[in-house]
Amino acid sequence: MRSEMINEIETPAVAGQKDNRYSACLLFSANALARAITAIGDEEFGRIGLSYSYAYLLCEVVDQPGVTPSKLSETLFLTPSTITRLVEKLELKQLVRRESEGKKTLIYPTEAGEALRPAIAEAWGRVGARYSSAIGPDDVCQLTQQVFKAARSLDDLD
Amino acid sequence: MRSEMINEIETPAVAGQKDNRYSACLLFSANALARAITAIGDEEFGRIGLSYSYAYLLCEVVDQPGVTPSKLSETLFLTPSTITRLVEKLELKQLVRRESEGKKTLIYPTEAGEALRPAIAEAWGRVGARYSSAIGPDDVCQLTQQVFKAARSLDDLD
DNA sequence: TAATTATATTTGTATGTGCAAGCAACGAAT
DNA sequence: ATTCGTTGCTTGCACATACAAATATAATTA
């Protein structure tokens, strides 16, 4: 009674020292992975005063000046309200500026924003190098593809 | 200049309609997956008034009465301070209770907490069913293993 | 035994993210 | 042209999580 099976979908109880019953749960594992890798990301991107979502957003704005929040929301898989928050802070830091055009908002980089792009690319590279070496460079590529595919499948549900 | 390669580690630009340059970044993809799947989790677990971390924690406490925060921290891949916060709220909801023993804290389920366990198992099952059907039941198992393995690798870095 | 270091937990504070509701502008239909 | 639904963005609020510092107890060393 006390030790009933609570795992969602039975999986062949893969061996491994530190596995526990949650290791077979994607909800659990995906969040654990996200937290662990975000820690690396924050460390590297923190050196340029941003965290990774801000950095990605800034890249988009530099590459597509005048991009709208809704477009960013699609690209970055974040809700519009989150985009607003991110843009607000980047605006405070003088890295982007907003322009209202009808019901749309157009977002442009400032010069300081554009100037930051190489540094972002470097930080990005360091993040990739770090997790590749930890996870194993061979596995990373396939893992990333699968993870993204799964994320998209779930996102397409609505 | 403007369109330089900013992806961290070159990947064979996997085709796919909605892919963008971030799809090859595990930092990005892992977070996207975590958010998408957490949305499902919150929906199902929300029906019993918890979110998924609370549910997992409660399961641990029911199965190992007297478990300590540090043990929970290891099992759930969460920091001790987060555990404290989770336990606090479960205590407010009268689902667990804390007992101080020296420098340790022992956490026990209340009867209400124990009573909730079957409902948690059911919600858990529904979450698994939903993401399995979205992602494809065949892929889920392997994906989960790989994701967990990667999370553990990154976590073992400290 | 007293002083120091180590371990376990909690607090203060901050951050990223989202939902639901609001507002503003556009389009369609009467 | 006035109304009405729709779309795009923003705000108020809430929550999960973490870091750094504080506290309290245990262990070790002098």
Side-chain angles (χ1 to χ4, degrees):
Chain A
M1 272 311 128
R2 168 79 27 99
S3 59
E4 66 198 322
M5 177 66 165
I6 64 166
N7 275 343
E8 0 70 279
I9 290 291
E10 30 267 308
T11 36
V14 201
Q17 324 81 301
K18 274 168 79 185
D19 283 18
N20 56 40
R21 64 177 158 214
Y22 305 107
S23 63
C25 170
L26 187 56
L27 172 52
F28 178 85
S29 301
N31 273 288
L33 176 59
R35 285 192 301 269
I37 201 166
T38 299
I40 296 180
D42 284 348
E43 228 174 276
E44 295 297 341
F45 284 111
R47 292 160 54 169
I48 48 178
L50 298 175
S51 54
Y52 83 101
S53 334
Y54 294 89
Y56 292 167
L57 197 157
L58 183 52
C59 279
E60 289 301 301
V61 174
V62 170
D63 276 19
Q64 307 168 55
V67 68
T68 63
S70 37
K71 171 70 174 163
L72 289 170
S73 168
E74 264 180 46
T75 307
L76 301 176
F77 283 66
L78 292 169
T79 62
S81 74
T82 299
I83 299 292
T84 298
R85 295 283 143 75
L86 298 178
V87 171
E88 263 172 13
K89 284 208 184 138
L90 285 179
E91 206 174 25
L92 261 181
K93 286 177 191 278
Q94 317 253 39
L95 298 174
V96 306
R97 91 191 132 76
R98 267 183 290 193
E99 222 168 81
S100 263
E101 185 171 295
K103 74 180 165 184
K104 296 187 158 188
T105 297
L106 309 182
I107 308 166
Y108 296 93
T110 63
E111 295 205 355
E114 278 179 6
L116 219 51
R117 203 183 185 294
I120 293 176
E122 273 172 39
W124 204 338
R126 284 194 302 267
V127 173
R130 283 179 63 180
Y131 69 64
S132 288
S133 98
I135 293 174
D138 301 333
D139 298 335
V140 163
C141 179
Q142 195 210 359
L143 176 61
T144 304
Q145 282 178 232
Q146 285 184 267
V147 167
F148 182 73
K149 183 160 160 272
R152 213 179 39 199
S153 303
L154 291 177
D155 224 77
D156 286 345
L157 285 186
D158 351 310
Chain B
M1 272 311 126
R2 169 77 27 100
S3 59
E4 67 199 322
M5 177 66 164
I6 64 165
N7 276 344
E8 1 69 282
I9 290 291
E10 32 266 306
T11 37
V14 202
Q17 325 81 300
K18 273 169 78 183
D19 283 19
N20 56 40
R21 64 176 160 216
Y22 304 106
S23 63
C25 171
L26 187 57
L27 171 52
F28 178 85
S29 301
N31 273 289
L33 176 59
R35 285 192 301 268
I37 201 166
T38 299
I40 296 180
D42 284 349
E43 227 174 277
E44 294 297 341
F45 284 111
R47 292 161 53 167
I48 48 178
L50 298 175
S51 55
Y52 84 101
S53 338
Y54 293 88
Y56 291 167
L57 197 156
L58 183 52
C59 279
E60 289 301 300
V61 173
V62 170
D63 276 19
Q64 308 168 54
V67 67
T68 62
S70 36
K71 171 71 173 160
L72 289 170
S73 167
E74 264 180 46
T75 307
L76 301 176
F77 284 66
L78 292 169
T79 63
S81 75
T82 299
I83 299 292
T84 298
R85 295 282 142 77
L86 298 178
V87 171
E88 262 171 13
K89 285 211 183 133
L90 286 178
E91 206 174 25
L92 262 182
K93 288 176 190 277
Q94 317 253 39
L95 299 175
V96 307
R97 90 190 135 76
R98 268 183 291 194
E99 221 167 81
S100 263
E101 185 170 292
K103 72 179 165 184
K104 298 186 156 187
T105 296
L106 309 182
I107 308 166
Y108 296 92
T110 63
E111 296 204 356
E114 277 179 7
L116 219 51
R117 204 181 183 297
I120 292 176
E122 273 172 39
W124 205 337
R126 284 194 303 268
V127 173
R130 281 179 63 180
Y131 67 64
S132 287
S133 98
I135 294 174
D138 301 334
D139 299 334
V140 162
C141 179
Q142 195 210 359
L143 177 61
T144 304
Q145 281 178 232
Q146 284 184 266
V147 166
F148 182 73
K149 183 161 161 272
R152 213 178 41 200
S153 302
L154 292 176
D155 224 77
D156 286 345
L157 286 187
D158 351 310

